[in-house]
Amino acid sequence: MQLQVTQRVAPARHCSRRPLRVNAVLAAPLPDTQKQQGVEALKKAALITAVKTPYLPSGKFDLRAYDRLVELQIANGVDGVIVGGTTGEGHLMLWDEHIMLIAHTVNAYGDRLKVIGNTGSNSTGEALHATEQGFAVGMHAALQINPYYGKTSMRGLRAHFAALLKEGPAIIYNVPGRTGQDIPDALVQELAAHPNFLGVKECTGNSRIGNYTQQGINCWSGNDDEAHDGRHHYGSAGVISVTANVIPGLFAKMMHGPPDPELNAKLQELIAWLFCEPNPIPLNTALMMCGLVRPVFRLPYVPLSREEREKGAKLLRAVQEHIPGCREVRVMEDDEFLLVGSAHS
């Protein structure tokens, strides 16, 4: 595969950061009753999309393409978006551009859908600072992950989340496949008593979701392939979805409507392809093949192989009428993709 690569080195996200510099209208504090109403509305959001962050050839954000994606999400029944999540490549952003994107989303769309900023970190201090900034620019809630790589003890997990929940409404994110550490049931049960606890994005399966919901603990499925059954058979609030970037209307139908096992079964092959390599590689490639974003990757992500793109093209064409904004699905040539090492030099 021959790909265009710009030879610049980006500062690693876990290293020393540039200071946050955000030009945005700060959000006015809400009365307590309005805050509580907002919390209850967030808990009922059935379809939240972990929205893709598109790029210009320079590697900087393509806000026009981002706005088109968000507009299409709203038009097709999505209740909220995660900004700068794993899918949105928040880990490849500097904090100043991450907070800017949250602020932009709130200012442009905050009255039309819920804006949840992924302001978590494996550093509690860093997560606190980013979360403060996110709420200052108006995000409705935060997504908070447990410390990854440099894992901590149970007491450390408890202290980490307790500190972050003081900042405002939050969804706790349990994805041991990425963090290397599970958040135990006993700790989730403790955290659920906090007034700012919205629920858990749970990626370990529907059995666990069912166990939580039986205890009155709010959950969103973190697995698109299990989301339909999680919603209709295990009591989840809904899903925080990757696939909804491509087919938001079909996921809205499954999350907002009655059980539809036939539709769910038809989508399984597409969902499996969208996770054939680590997320967000297949999703990025799919949106580029559909002409919805420019074919620009921030490294270390690279496009799927041509063989995988050919498989995906057949699956995408089968649902093309449900991909908003897609006029054509192309396999694309290898040299059409641009890989960018840094947008920050």
Side-chain angles (χ1 to χ4, degrees):
M1 180 186 290
Q2 295 183 345
L3 300 166
Q4 302 178 56
V5 183
T6 61
Q7 299 292 337
R8 290 178 285 175
V9 179
R13 177 146 187 175
H14 63 270
C15 297
S16 178
R17 309 286 186 88
R18 299 178 186 180
L20 293 168
R21 299 183 300 277
V22 179
N23 295 318
V25 177
L26 298 184
L30 295 174
D32 289 343
T33 54
Q34 195 170 342
K35 285 182 182 178
Q36 188 57 39
Q37 290 171 355
V39 165
E40 294 307 314
L42 279 159
K43 288 180 177 180
K44 295 176 182 177
L47 178 55
I48 301 171
T49 301
V51 68
K52 154 73 177 165
T53 306
Y55 304 113
L56 297 166
S58 64
K60 296 183 183 299
F61 295 160
D62 185 346
L63 288 179
R64 289 186 178 179
Y66 178 83
D67 287 353
R68 285 195 296 272
L69 290 177
V70 176
E71 290 280 1
L72 291 170
Q73 293 291 306
I74 294 170
N76 284 275
V78 170
D79 302 307
V81 291
I82 304 287
V83 180
T86 306
T87 306
E89 301 176 21
H91 49 290
L92 303 187
M93 300 175 188
L94 296 176
W95 276 120
D96 55 356
E97 59 181 359
H98 194 158
I99 299 299
M100 179 280 291
L101 190 59
I102 293 171
H104 170 77
T105 310
V106 170
N107 291 335
Y109 304 108
D111 60 342
R112 299 166 64 190
L113 84 173
K114 300 301 180 185
V115 178
I116 302 153
N118 174 35
T119 54
S121 171
N122 58 352
S123 161
T124 306
E126 191 170 272
L128 283 168
H129 187 52
T131 301
E132 289 170 1
Q133 293 287 327
F135 282 120
V137 299
M139 71 181 184
H140 300 115
L143 182 67
Q144 300 291 358
I145 200 165
N146 53 307
Y148 44 87
Y149 184 68
K151 295 179 284 187
T152 187
S153 64
M154 174 66 77
R155 290 173 60 200
L157 283 176
R158 183 180 291 110
H160 174 79
F161 286 123
L164 293 166
L165 283 168
K166 290 179 182 177
E167 296 297 322
I171 297 171
I172 304 302
Y173 184 15
N174 188 37
V175 56
R178 286 189 181 268
T179 64
Q181 184 179 48
D182 183 61
I183 304 174
D185 293 20
L187 179 55
V188 172
Q189 290 161 3
E190 289 181 39
L191 298 175
H194 197 286
N196 283 330
F197 175 90
L198 296 175
V200 183
K201 177 185 177 183
E202 182 56 66
C203 299
T204 63
N206 281 335
S207 177
R208 197 171 195 183
I209 287 174
N211 182 52
Y212 281 144
T213 58
Q214 287 175 11
Q215 300 174 61
I217 297 173
N218 203 45
C219 289
W220 288 269
S221 175
N223 301 329
D224 285 346
D225 59 334
E226 298 180 326
H228 173 274
D229 289 354
R231 172 74 164 154
H232 297 292
H233 303 306
Y234 291 87
S236 74
V239 63
I240 296 177
S241 175
V242 174
T243 307
N245 279 277
V246 181
I247 46 172
L250 293 181
F251 258 74
K253 183 179 180 183
M254 289 198 297
M255 293 299 106
H256 293 141
D260 194 338
E262 183 178 353
L263 174 59
N264 182 49
K266 287 180 178 178
L267 296 179
Q268 289 302 309
E269 192 174 0
L270 173 63
I271 293 171
W273 178 77
L274 285 169
F275 292 90
C276 68
E277 287 189 6
N279 179 50
I281 294 169
L283 173 68
N284 288 352
T285 307
L287 292 175
M288 294 167 189
M289 291 168 60
C290 291
L292 298 174
V293 301
R294 297 172 192 256
V296 180
F297 281 83
R298 277 191 180 182
L299 289 168
Y301 296 126
V302 298
L304 292 176
S305 68
R306 184 178 183 90
E307 180 182 2
E308 285 295 344
R309 297 199 303 271
E310 288 173 349
K311 291 179 185 176
K314 294 178 182 178
L315 296 169
L316 291 167
R317 286 168 184 151
V319 295
Q320 186 176 340
E321 64 180 306
H322 301 289
I323 304 175
C326 176
R327 298 180 179 178
E328 178 186 16
V329 177
R330 298 179 56 239
V331 173
M332 302 183 65
E333 301 299 327
D334 290 344
D335 61 7
E336 292 183 72
F337 297 97
L338 177 65
L339 311 185
V340 180
S342 173
H344 315 306
S345 58

